[in-house]
Amino acid sequence: MTTLSIPDMHCEGCTASVARALTPIEGVSGVIVDLGTHTATVAGDAATEKLIAALGRIGFPASVASAL
């Protein structure tokens, strides 16, 4: 599981766009996007670099969220 920080998400439309961008990536088995924490948690074994690149292509710079 990978949790990404996506600080530029501001609405439900943003969360839907993020989910649509991540879901088709090979190795992704599930995506949970949380607007309140500005994160996306991705289940599966997709490369983190591919996830971040996909979000960058749709205008949402992302990084790996720091552990709590």
Side-chain angles (χ1 to χ4, degrees), residues 14-36:
C14 295
T15 62
S17 295
V18 165
R20 277 194 305 271
L22 295 174
T23 300
I25 296 173
E26 184 177 340
V28 172
S29 60
V31 177
I32 298 171
V33 183
D34 186 330
L35 182 59

Side-chain angles (χ1 to χ4, degrees), residues 30-55:
V31 177
I32 298 171
V33 183
D34 186 330
L35 182 59
T37 60
H38 298 272
T39 61
T41 302
V42 182
D45 61 358
T48 303
E49 296 80 18
K50 286 185 179 184
L51 303 173
I52 290 172
L55 294 176

